[in-house]
Amino acid sequence: MNRTLPAITRTLFFITSFCLGSVVPALSQLKFFAVANETKIGLNEVVQIQYKIENAKSIQSIAHPDFKNFYVVSGPNQETGMSSINGNVTSYSAFSYILKPKKAGNFTIPSITALADGKQLKCNLLTIEVVNQGNIAGRKQQPSVPQLPFDEPGARSVPANDLVLRPGENAEAKIRKNLFIRMVANKTSSYVGEPIVVSFNLYTRLRSETNVTDAPSFNGFSVSDMDVNQNSTQEKVNGKTYSCYVLRKVQLYPLQSGTFTLTPLQATNNVTFLKYGSSTMQSNDPLMQMMQDFGGSVLSPGDFIQKSTTLTSNSLTINVKPLPAGNVPPAFNGAVGEFSIQTDIDKNQLTTDDAANLKITIRGKGNFSMINAPSIHWPEGIDAYDAKVKDQINKQDVPLDGSKAFNIPFTISKPGKYSIPPVYFSWFNPETGKYETKITEPITFRVSQGKKMITEKNNSSESNSSFFSVPHLEWVGGGILVGGIMIALMLTFLDRKNKEPELKTRTIPEDLKNEQAVDDIVPGNPLADLHEKLLSEDADGFYRELKRSLESYLSGKLKMPVHALTKETVMQKLDSCNVGVGTTKLFESLMQEIELGLYAKCSHVSQMRNLYEKTADLVSLLNKQIC
């Protein structure tokens, strides 16, 4: 079937645009969401609601939440820091509340808005189920007839008199003398990035149960929680022996210099006293008799008196010193501690058909959350892609101990001898007060010609791609363009000769009809047919379907024919519609990853799942922003 010149011209533009592209790393996306530590609680229990904003440079405002079915026990409590999940490092600001329900039922906490980096954000809503019975959220339930703590380690050294409330004794005064919380730190002065260990310790000589209701604020620090031993230890304070429990223990990594105040921790305590003259006591020597009868006596609820009190710890002032300003190595990027670095590639024999990985491993102790991939001066002829990060860190060691590995995929189009130059990594050592630098050995390797010709890579249905760049195919595009123009001119001449009457009667050019038809396209969901490919781990089908469906979506969304979709035209369209910079960068990064998947055969299921989620984010953003 003969084609007109416009149709073939579109095809040629379609093919030549296949040879173009750019690579720009993705920017971290703003995220605003709400989380609850429990979704089902008892009527007498509390729930923590946290509103978290990730990757915001500045927060201009945040709306006040509506907690009409709850009492606000504490909040808002603010916390900032950085977190690392599967190697993805994000900064965050969090605002949390401790709530106690007013009644039983199913309650919805509405979503709220925030203004961050000049953008209006909206979080998700939350649903909390409140039931009449207790012990829903996994917290220890108060027994109806509590057992006195003589069976705890060292408890027999505590006088039984402290556990008995005698007539005329002031319960509040007795609690203050025998129950308190202290915040302690291993040091109160450190450098930026040097860890400080902070513990919140409960000291008690009484039978009590504790629930933390107001968490301290760690503004200015990255926070890493440490495991807490549930067993008590015996400590002496002012000559008296107490059972000591650690309520919370954290490593704090200062993010900036200055003087910071760690606000107090608050907790509610239900204290149980044995009533003097209870049914288990004998008038001769009641305390001794109680000790002797422990474990065999039957106590009734009337033998006890319960008192509730609120405990508040002390506050702490931390002085954070800036890192020295002199002799800062060019490769320093915020790492503090003691580290080593190693580089290697995963293949010794490389061909132009291969996609290899450069692995950079940083080991040691320090603030791993601030460690990013070191700079690499790639030699000409190597195309490198985004690093994949994997952490193996022991959060119980101080400082954090472990390793951080960066796997950087790369491809080489021409055979020859290549050398990846030494990689520099610098850090500040707080023990010596100096900056230190390690340098890796260069990696030299040879690349042989692969068995497949470059043109074979494109001998598939993907050869119709409009905005996925294929490196080093300029000569293919040029040859196709020249040959295509000659064929187009010949077919156009024959077509006009054979269809002269039709051309004379036609009132609307065919090309214009095609352009008008675009306006009627309603873009579908590009992920509709992709989920099955992801579940079956069909890498080849996944990338082909993603490319095809994304082209169709963009064509309908941007009101552009598929042949006109190049990275340049899409970027121009997004700019003309005032689409945010973050969305634009996400689009560019997505194109880069699809390109790598198509031609370097990146088939790991985690990579495909990440790409699936990134596409969903892009579609969601474009649906909201496109003009």
Side-chain angles (χ1 to χ4, degrees):
M1 178 179 178
N2 292 334
R3 292 188 177 184
T4 61
L5 178 58
I8 294 182
T9 304
R10 286 196 296 270
T11 302
L12 294 176
F13 280 131
F14 188 94
I15 295 172
T16 54
S17 65
F18 183 71
C19 306
L20 303 176
S22 61
V23 174
V24 180
L27 295 181
S28 297
Q29 297 297 301
L30 276 173
K31 290 185 179 180
F32 180 36
F33 54 92
V35 292
N37 67 330
E38 302 290 346
T39 57
K40 185 177 181 180
I41 61 173
L43 185 59
N44 295 319
E45 295 180 320
V46 295
V47 61
Q48 181 182 27
I49 305 297
Q50 186 181 65
Y51 296 93
K52 203 167 188 178
I53 302 177
E54 292 184 350
N55 303 314
K57 295 180 181 177
S58 64
I59 300 174
Q60 287 76 48
S61 65
I62 182 169
H64 184 74
D66 180 8
F67 299 131
K68 62 182 179 181
N69 295 303
F70 298 85
Y71 298 106
V72 178
V73 178
S74 171
N77 308 302
Q78 186 176 0
E79 180 180 326
T80 60
M82 302 183 72
S83 62
S84 177
I85 302 176
N86 295 328
N88 297 317
V89 179
T90 59
S91 60
Y92 68 88
S93 294
F95 303 85
S96 61
Y97 298 81
I98 304 294
L99 309 178
K100 186 176 182 180
K102 296 179 179 179
K103 56 185 178 180
N106 287 303
F107 304 112
T108 298
I109 299 175
S111 60
I112 62 173
T113 58
L115 185 64
D117 294 349
K119 293 184 179 180
Q120 193 78 12
L121 307 173
K122 188 176 182 179
C123 73
N124 54 292
L125 54 81
L126 295 171
T127 301
I128 307 296
E129 181 182 358
V130 181
V131 296
N132 282 312
Q133 67 264 33
N135 198 30
I136 298 301
R139 287 175 283 275
K140 187 177 179 182
Q141 191 175 11
Q142 179 75 25
S144 58
V145 182
Q147 297 296 314
L148 298 179
F150 294 110
D151 56 338
E152 294 185 0
R156 294 184 184 273
S157 63
V158 178
N161 185 58
D162 291 332
L163 306 172
V164 178
L165 190 64
R166 296 175 178 274
E169 276 192 301
N170 186 308
E172 297 294 333
K174 193 161 190 173
I175 291 173
R176 285 195 299 270
K177 291 179 181 178
N178 295 285
L179 184 65
F180 56 91
I181 298 175
R182 281 186 178 178
M183 182 189 338
V184 294
N186 65 336
K187 54 189 170 185
T188 56
S189 178
S190 72
Y191 286 103
V192 171
E194 182 184 7
I196 300 169
V197 179
V198 176
S199 297
F200 299 89
N201 300 335
L202 173 72
Y203 295 85
T204 180
R205 292 164 61 87
L206 305 174
R207 201 293 185 195
S208 69
E209 291 191 354
T210 304
N211 285 317
V212 175
T213 57
D214 195 352
S217 172
F218 297 129
N219 290 331
F221 297 87
S222 173
V223 183
S224 177
D225 274 280
M226 304 178 69
D227 290 340
V228 173
N229 191 333
Q230 299 298 323
N231 297 326
S232 67
T233 58
Q234 300 301 304
E235 294 188 20
K236 280 195 173 183
V237 180
N238 297 327
K240 295 175 67 175
T241 301
Y242 292 82
S243 294
C244 179
Y245 297 86
V246 180
L247 300 179
R248 189 183 181 188
K249 190 174 184 180
V250 295
Q251 289 189 55
L252 302 181
Y253 286 83
L255 301 174
Q256 57 190 24
S257 61
T259 301
F260 300 88
T261 299
L262 305 183
T263 57
L265 177 144
Q266 286 188 350
T268 58
N269 289 77
N270 294 318
V271 181
T272 302
F273 291 105
L274 182 66
K275 186 188 299 183
Y276 185 83
S278 67
S279 59
T280 61
M281 292 186 173
Q282 303 298 323
S283 57
N284 317 358
D285 194 351
L287 297 181
M288 181 61 68
Q289 183 64 44
M290 182 183 66
M291 294 280 287
Q292 293 173 350
D293 291 346
F294 174 73
S297 300
V298 178
L299 304 177
S300 66
D303 293 330
F304 297 94
I305 299 176
Q306 292 189 341
K307 297 291 184 180
S308 180
T309 186
T310 298
L311 301 179
T312 302
S313 75
N314 56 302
S315 59
L316 274 181
T317 299
I318 305 295
N319 178 41
V320 181
K321 300 175 289 185
L323 299 180
N327 301 318
V328 181
F332 178 72
N333 199 25
V336 175
E338 177 67 30
F339 302 97
S340 65
I341 183 172
Q342 178 182 349
T343 58
D344 57 72
I345 58 175
D346 61 347
K347 295 180 181 179
N348 295 323
Q349 302 292 329
L350 290 174
T351 73
T352 53
D353 294 336
D354 296 326
N357 284 277
L358 172 65
K359 184 177 182 180
I360 303 175
T361 305
I362 297 172
R363 294 184 175 88
K365 293 187 174 185
N367 59 339
F368 277 94
S369 63
M370 292 298 294
I371 296 178
N372 298 313
S375 297
I376 303 169
H377 299 288
W378 294 98
E380 185 177 353
I382 294 182
D383 295 314
Y385 301 89
D386 289 343
K388 305 299 180 184
V389 187
K390 183 177 181 180
D391 295 333
Q392 289 185 336
I393 298 172
N394 184 352
K395 295 185 177 182
Q396 305 313 309
D397 286 347
V398 183
L400 298 176
D401 184 7
S403 65
K404 197 168 190 176
F406 303 89
N407 285 287
I408 307 173
F410 65 92
T411 58
I412 303 174
S413 59
K414 296 180 180 179
K417 184 178 180 180
Y418 293 86
S419 179
I420 299 176
V423 178
Y424 291 72
F425 180 69
S426 300
W427 65 89
F428 177 76
N429 189 333
E431 297 295 328
T432 62
K434 297 179 180 180
Y435 292 98
E436 299 177 12
T437 299
K438 291 286 187 181
I439 307 172
T440 66
E441 295 293 329
I443 299 176
T444 302
F445 54 92
R446 284 191 173 276
V447 178
S448 59
Q449 178 63 53
K451 295 180 180 180
K452 297 180 181 179
M453 297 299 293
I454 296 178
T455 53
E456 290 179 19
K457 284 187 178 182
N458 310 300
N459 188 21
S460 66
S461 60
E462 284 78 46
S463 61
N464 292 327
S465 174
S466 57
F467 52 84
F468 293 87
S469 62
V470 182
H472 314 295
L473 291 187
E474 292 86 351
W475 63 273
V476 176
I480 293 174
L481 182 62
V482 173
I485 290 175
M486 294 178 65
I487 296 173
L489 292 174
M490 182 183 300
L491 292 176
T492 301
F493 175 78
L494 294 174
D495 187 69
R496 286 183 180 274
K497 193 74 174 177
N498 295 331
K499 298 188 177 182
E500 189 69 26
E502 181 184 351
L503 289 172
K504 288 181 179 180
T505 59
R506 185 177 299 165
T507 57
I508 301 178
E510 187 68 29
D511 194 47
L512 181 58
K513 283 186 177 180
N514 291 338
E515 295 296 330
Q516 289 175 335
V518 172
D519 293 333
D520 300 327
I521 297 176
V522 177
N525 180 7
L527 303 178
D529 300 323
L530 203 61
H531 194 250
E532 184 179 345
K533 304 289 185 184
L534 181 63
L535 292 178
S536 63
E537 300 184 15
D538 178 8
D540 185 57
F542 175 85
Y543 284 102
R544 284 191 290 106
E545 176 60 29
L546 177 58
K547 180 187 71 64
R548 183 202 63 76
S549 57
L550 191 56
E551 281 180 345
S552 176
Y553 169 81
L554 290 173
S555 174
K557 195 67 182 175
L558 301 180
K559 302 296 189 291
M560 298 171 64
V562 173
H563 73 79
L565 292 175
T566 68
K567 284 186 180 178
E568 291 77 10
T569 58
V570 171
M571 297 292 291
Q572 290 172 3
K573 183 68 174 180
L574 296 179
D575 184 62
S576 67
C577 291
N578 296 317
V579 170
V581 175
T583 304
T584 302
K585 296 299 183 185
L586 178 60
F587 164 75
E588 292 182 298
S589 173
L590 187 61
M591 296 306 100
Q592 176 193 358
E593 291 194 42
I594 296 176
E595 173 193 330
L596 177 62
L598 283 169
Y599 304 107
K601 304 302 179 186
C602 298
S603 58
H604 195 280
V605 66
S606 63
Q607 293 172 290
M608 293 190 290
R609 185 177 298 109
N610 179 66
L611 197 57
Y612 181 92
E613 294 172 355
K614 186 176 287 189
T615 304
D617 289 342
L618 176 67
V619 171
S620 176
L621 290 168
L622 289 180
N623 285 340
K624 296 176 183 177
Q625 300 182 52
I626 285 296
C627 56

